[in-house]
Amino acid sequence: MLAVDDEPPALDELAYHLRADPRVARLHTAGDATEALRVLRDDDVDVVFLDIRMPGLDGMELARVLRRFARPPAIVFVTAYDDGAADAFDMGATDYVRKPVRAERLAEALRRVVGSRVVPTHPAALARAEEDPTIPVELAGTTRMLPRSAVRWVEAQGDYARLHTADRSHLVRVSLATLAERWADAGFVRIHRSYLVQLRLIAELRLVNSGYVVVIDGTELPVSRRHTRELKDKLVRAAKQEWSR
């Protein structure tokens, strides 16, 4: 295991908590990405606890390098900021821990790492994981990894987006436009400047006095005029594909 942080007090605190956990057999530390890469070159590391904002090669850039390894280590980002959550999601991070670190929160991150390491590496299992990536969300002061498949629709709230699931919603620091681009291949479609929905979950497209609305889980969401024709075409194509199966 490897812990990387350019601030010595933060690195010492992270290392202290990790070494106190019985699941950590051996821990290396590094003060920057260059030192981290030297450790990774010389030792077999299966998990990297990684700060994001560092001079030189930052945590996100280092994570991109690690993804190209033949056997990439699991990555847990440890940061004082929440604006890296969307990028962490793209990186396939196992967890996203906010500073100041707490022993119980790191224990949860380690549990997630262990769980991810024992998942079968059969190609079909790996394909399913890639098809359903996760995004970090805050829940009762804890960062959780929410599967994209759990998201029913998304609502824009300024520079943030609110992800609506079947039973709750989560506010994440990523724009609706960014999610619309990243999730298009997963069936999410823009119906309004403020709404992104999962196409297959649309139960109705209804004409009301002010225009069209779609119904998802009993909730009516407005469809803007500029998106109406495209949405109708996509619904028809989706229905034809379903009939042809």
Side-chain angles (χ1 to χ4, degrees):
M1 189 172 295
L2 171 64
V4 187
D5 198 309
D6 66 302
E7 298 180 357
L11 182 58
D12 290 344
E13 182 181 17
L14 177 60
Y16 172 79
H17 288 302
L18 290 174
R19 289 189 174 113
D21 193 294
R23 289 167 294 190
V24 178
R26 184 173 59 166
L27 178 69
H28 301 278
T29 60
D32 56 33
T34 301
E35 187 179 357
L37 288 171
R38 281 198 295 266
V39 172
L40 291 160
R41 178 195 62 197
D42 298 334
D43 291 276
D44 186 16
V45 173
D46 55 4
V47 186
V48 179
F49 282 77
L50 181 58
D51 186 26
I52 293 180
R53 297 193 180 182
M54 300 187 296
L57 198 69
D58 68 20
M60 287 296 175
E61 292 167 330
L62 177 57
R64 292 187 182 95
V65 173
L66 301 185
R67 287 183 66 187
R68 294 198 293 267
F69 281 25
R71 293 181 57 220
I75 296 173
V76 175
F77 286 109
V78 183
T79 176
Y81 307 93
D82 63 359
D83 56 359
D87 288 332
F89 145 69
D90 277 349
M91 291 292 159
T94 302
D95 210 341
Y96 190 92
V97 178
R98 291 288 304 278
K99 294 178 181 178
V101 296
R102 295 177 290 112
E104 59 271 22
R105 183 64 186 89
L106 284 177
E108 170 68 12
L110 285 167
R111 184 192 66 77
R112 290 177 178 273
V113 167
V114 172
S116 70
R117 297 282 102 174
V118 299
V119 171
T121 56
H122 188 279
L126 293 176
R128 285 193 296 272
E130 291 175 356
E131 290 169 2
D132 191 19
T134 56
I135 185 167
V137 298
E138 290 291 326
L139 181 61
T142 299
T143 304
R144 304 288 187 186
M145 305 304 283
L146 177 72
R148 182 175 60 190
S149 61
V151 179
R152 319 288 284 182
W153 49 282
V154 185
E155 179 182 6
Q157 293 193 346
D159 293 332
Y160 290 74
R162 184 167 293 279
L163 311 180
H164 292 265
T165 66
D167 58 352
R168 66 179 69 223
S169 67
H170 306 274
L171 193 65
V172 295
R173 190 169 183 176
V174 58
S175 70
L176 192 73
T178 297
L179 288 181
E181 179 181 350
R182 293 176 178 176
W183 289 6
D185 293 341
F188 283 84
V189 297
R190 194 80 173 261
I191 63 168
H192 189 277
R193 61 182 178 142
S194 298
Y195 295 99
L196 179 70
V197 304
Q198 174 54 264
L199 184 70
R200 62 180 175 79
L201 297 179
I202 295 177
E204 295 180 33
L205 174 63
R206 180 189 305 158
L207 180 62
V208 296
N209 293 335
S210 57
Y212 281 92
V213 298
V214 296
V215 180
I216 296 180
D217 295 339
T219 300
E220 292 186 356
L221 303 174
V223 180
S224 66
R225 290 183 179 180
R226 62 174 296 211
H227 290 102
T228 299
R229 172 56 60 188
E230 182 182 5
L231 176 61
K232 286 181 177 179
D233 291 343
K234 287 182 177 180
L235 285 170
V236 170
R237 286 198 299 270
K240 286 181 178 178
Q241 290 175 357
E242 189 65 26
W243 294 337
S244 64
R245 289 180 182 176

